[in-house]
Amino acid sequence: MIEINLDGQQVSVPEGSMVMHAAEKAGTYIPHFCYHKKLSIAANCRMCLVDVEKAPKPMPACATPVTNGMIVRTRSEKAIKAQQSVMEFLLINHPLDCPICDQGGECQLQDLAVGYGGSASRYEEEKRVVLHKDVGPLISMEEMSRCIHCTRCVRFGQEIAGVMELGMIHRGEHSEITTVLGDTVDSEVSGNMIDLCPVGALTSKPFRYSARNWELSRRKSVSPHDSTGANLLVQVKNNRVMRVLPLENNDVNECWIADRDRFSYEALNGPERLTTPMLKQGGEWRPVDWQTALEYVANGVRQVREQHGAKAIGTLASPHSTVEELFLARELMQGLGSPNIDHRLRNAEFPAFEGVRWLGTPIASLSTLQRVLVIGSNLRKDHPLFALRVRAAVRTGAQVSVVHDRDNDWAMSMAGKLIAPAGQWLQALADVATAIGDSNGEKSPLQGTATDAAKAIAASLLSGERKAIFLGNAAAHHPSATSLLALAQWIGEQTGASVGYLTEAANTVGAQLVHALPGEGGLNAGQMLAGGLKAVFLLNTEPEFDSAAGARAGEALGQADMVVTLSPFQANLEFSDVLLPIAPWTETPGTFVNAEGRVQSFHAVVKPLAETRPAWKVLRVLGNMLGLQGFTWESAQEVLVAARGAADAQQPLAQRDKLSNRTAKAVWLGDTSARPVTASIYQLDGVVRRAPSLQLTADAQVALRQAQEVAA
């Protein structure tokens, strides 16, 4: 440790630290623009000039290494004058458009200009003008004359996102940030550039001119999309979600969020919202009151149970539903005497429950891994925030390998790739296992051929210390999913790597914990989607888009006597008989359990829209109308306590002894000719599918073209 004197205070920091780091530790604020704790040091704004004793001129705090006994003054006359001079230069060409700037009220330049700017400008020449750029549907670069060339956006793309989509061209007053070739910014985490911009040069295109910063209420929430469980700050005006920003949590999402977390809120205010219960009468949809709709459902369920038995009733539940909703859906089925409930909508294999499948390691540890093998996932698109952490590990020397059927660009260097059709994944993994067995004298449980690609992956896993093997969405949905897990587990044991699932949805782990799975003799999702049920509840899901059955799901469900859709949107119109408007994640309290088993509860940030009601309330009332025992919960918190199975509300839901990626099943090749069904980045759930800006992105357009090719 090195000790310096900062404004008369002794501060100890590690060797190699900068003066800025010492100031942060001491709680001393030094004005800055280009410095950011998650980015490399650029030292190009010079706003952080400080007075270092014996230095002939002020020094930038962000780029001045500390030395033992150094004396630094951040508020001396010399430092203040230097900072004021830099501010004067920064404002020379800055347009005087604060009253109309969308960044007004949260602009770093505006804030610091108050403290360090002059009352009048000595600059009388014409200000420079930079032409606007169109870089896609998410980021607005309409006002690039405001740019102060801090290069935060450039460094974010290069270092964090892995794709340098923005760069600086020209020199002097002609310098400007641009995509150079006129391309669009297509990164799946591009919205973070908006947060990083200290002025109003980069702004949110969907949010632009919608509200002023001081008009918005700020409320905490959790992302309902992938299994990261990103912490969010939802900004609200007049009971309407206006913007979503990241809430810093270094153990989960750091200070970043994916674009689908940031922009999916558009769907919540869209025209497809279901605002009142509806019944289909004579082929026509008619709005009704809640009492009528629920009585219709209750009578229909009773009639089906009397005529066909309880086993003719089933529930297909989305793993994007909350713990409370999934628990009550399971209780409803059990109360009716039906074992038919499942959340594994895209699975092709439905093994017996052997433990809750999870990440196998803390999310934060992804940044420090040295060896990684990913099976059946385009990590960058399936789990953007996991990819950021793995990319950070690669920058410090980690080696990443992949077994997949597509050679996707992960925006990071790869140590090994084994690209094979999905039907050959088990054999490809057997090749890796064989190469590992040849090295350590063990026999692989499934013999393969030690190809050069397999040897490269094996050599990577056999070296290094902190290692992990991850099975992605496609591996989890694979016809031989359990066999892939068994072989991955053997490889993990031989190499000392942890084994886990990336898990697809916000609450895949939570759905397993509350056992939203078929009971004894119950039908799994594949069987229910093949037809045979007489009454079906669809909780927050659209089987045509969310299941492995695809279009066939509509035909099968259309044969049921009654299909009840509980959704925030006008969904499943072709084959449903009842539509019940339930609240999306912003309008209901709830709990998600992310991939690492972290339990995160959240409150509603706005009131339910129109006649919309929280799904847990709808299920509770339905249970009461059916005369089921125990449906007496008065709050979502009470439901959560019941889901935990104890009266102690502080007891962790995700007990570590329930989390397991072990399997007793022997390796078996089986029929694996079909490709596993997975969702593209902006087709993951009903909310992102209905966000207009996300559907205009390059990723969404590529997925649309691929879907059209498959259909053709």
Side-chain angles (χ1 to χ4, degrees), residues 280-335:
K280 187 184 284 184
Q281 298 176 335
E284 295 284 329
W285 283 105
R286 302 185 187 279
V288 296
D289 58 65
W290 270 104
Q291 186 68 23
T292 302
L294 291 175
E295 284 180 354
Y296 181 91
V297 173
N299 292 333
V301 168
R302 288 194 197 98
Q303 188 173 346
V304 167
R305 186 167 60 170
E306 289 170 2
Q307 294 179 357
H308 305 282
K311 289 191 175 181
I313 306 169
T315 294
L316 293 164
S318 167
H320 298 276
S321 303
T322 66
V323 164
E324 294 83 353
E325 293 163 0
L326 291 165
F327 172 74
L328 283 175
R330 189 204 72 182
E331 290 293 294
L332 184 67
M333 289 298 101
Q334 286 188 345

Side-chain angles (χ1 to χ4, degrees), residues 1-3 12-15 25 68:
M1 299 292 283
I2 290 178
E3 193 170 271
S12 295
V13 290
E15 187 175 355
K25 186 173 181 180
N68 221 17

Side-chain angles (χ1 to χ4, degrees), residues 414-475:
M414 306 293 287
K417 291 183 179 180
L418 219 169
I419 308 302
Q424 299 174 19
W425 285 355
L426 197 59
Q427 191 59 52
L429 213 54
D431 294 346
V432 176
T434 300
I436 290 171
D438 291 346
S439 297
N440 59 15
E442 295 287 338
K443 184 178 180 181
S444 168
L446 180 65
Q447 281 303 114
T449 304
T451 62
D452 289 343
K455 286 179 181 178
I457 295 175
S460 177
L461 286 174
L462 286 166
S463 61
E465 294 180 0
R466 297 180 296 278
K467 314 170 195 178
I469 299 172
F470 297 119
L471 292 103
N473 297 348

Side-chain angles (χ1 to χ4, degrees), residues 357-592:
R357 305 312 192 197
W358 68 299
L359 189 62
T361 186
I363 289 174
S365 72
L366 300 183
S367 303
T368 60
L369 290 173
Q370 294 179 345
R371 300 291 183 268
V372 179
L373 171 61
V374 179
I375 304 162
S377 175
N378 177 6
L379 186 67
R380 179 181 168 190
K381 302 300 181 181
D382 292 345
H383 299 87
L385 298 182
F386 289 171
L388 294 192
R389 287 190 179 271
V390 173
R391 191 174 294 117
V394 169
R395 290 202 307 273
T396 59
Q399 295 180 6
V400 179
S401 303
V402 62
V403 175
H404 200 30
D405 61 348
R406 292 175 182 170
D407 189 6
N408 304 115
D409 178 11
W410 284 22
M412 65 181 86
S413 60
M414 306 293 287
K417 291 183 179 180
L418 219 169
I419 308 302
Q424 299 174 19
W425 285 355
L426 197 59
Q427 191 59 52
L429 213 54
D431 294 346
V432 176
T434 300
I436 290 171
D438 291 346
S439 297
N440 59 15
E442 295 287 338
K443 184 178 180 181
S444 168
L446 180 65
Q447 281 303 114
T449 304
T451 62
D452 289 343
K455 286 179 181 178
I457 295 175
S460 177
L461 286 174
L462 286 166
S463 61
E465 294 180 0
R466 297 180 296 278
K467 314 170 195 178
I469 299 172
F470 297 119
L471 292 103
N473 297 348
H477 303 160
H478 199 278
S480 291
T482 306
S483 300
L484 286 171
L485 173 60
L487 199 47
Q489 196 69 59
W490 186 88
I491 293 172
E493 290 169 356
Q494 298 301 313
T495 60
S498 66
V499 176
Y501 282 92
L502 295 169
T503 71
E504 179 184 41
N507 208 26
T508 300
V509 174
Q512 297 172 80
L513 282 164
V514 299
H515 215 73
L517 297 162
E520 187 175 349
L523 302 179
N524 59 48
Q527 292 167 331
M528 285 190 271
L529 287 166
L533 290 177
K534 295 300 181 180
V536 186
F537 288 90
L538 301 176
L539 176 58
N540 209 18
T541 184
E542 300 166 79
E544 289 181 288
F545 305 105
D546 296 333
S547 76
R552 300 191 310 275
E555 300 171 9
L557 292 171
Q559 298 171 10
D561 293 348
M562 184 175 69
V563 177
V564 182
T565 291
L566 295 87
S567 173
F569 304 104
Q570 299 171 31
N572 307 327
L573 298 177
E574 295 80 9
F575 51 81
S576 292
D577 299 288
V578 187
L579 299 181
L580 301 179
I582 61 170
W585 59 282
T586 52
E587 299 171 19
T588 180
T591 303
F592 292 135

Side-chain angles (χ1 to χ4, degrees), residues 606-653:
V606 292
K607 295 177 182 178
L609 179 67
E611 292 298 308
T612 300
R613 296 291 181 268
W616 72 266
K617 285 188 176 181
V618 175
L619 292 167
R620 183 205 63 191
V621 172
L622 197 52
N624 289 330
M625 296 181 75
L626 287 165
L628 306 183
Q629 297 296 315
F631 281 73
T632 58
W633 300 285
E634 294 295 325
S635 67
Q637 181 64 22
E638 289 183 17
V639 179
L640 181 60
V641 170
R644 285 178 166 136
D648 180 7
Q650 299 305 313
Q651 179 183 347
L653 177 68

Side-chain angles (χ1 to χ4, degrees), residues 178-247:
T178 177
T179 56
V180 183
L181 298 178
D183 299 327
T184 54
V185 174
D186 299 322
S187 168
E188 62 283 351
V189 289
S190 64
N192 293 291
M193 295 180 187
I194 299 168
D195 298 335
L196 289 171
C197 184
V199 294
L202 304 182
T203 54
S204 168
K205 191 171 280 189
F207 173 73
R208 187 172 166 83
Y209 297 137
S210 296
R212 286 296 196 180
N213 176 57
W214 55 84
E215 298 176 304
L216 302 172
S217 301
R218 293 159 181 77
R219 291 152 193 181
K220 298 177 183 178
S221 193
V222 178
S223 168
H225 305 306
D226 65 39
S227 60
T228 308
N231 290 202
L232 307 178
L233 199 62
V234 182
Q235 298 190 325
V236 176
K237 178 184 177 183
N238 296 333
N239 203 48
R240 180 185 174 99
V241 175
M242 303 299 293
R243 184 166 59 169
V244 175
L245 300 175
L247 179 64

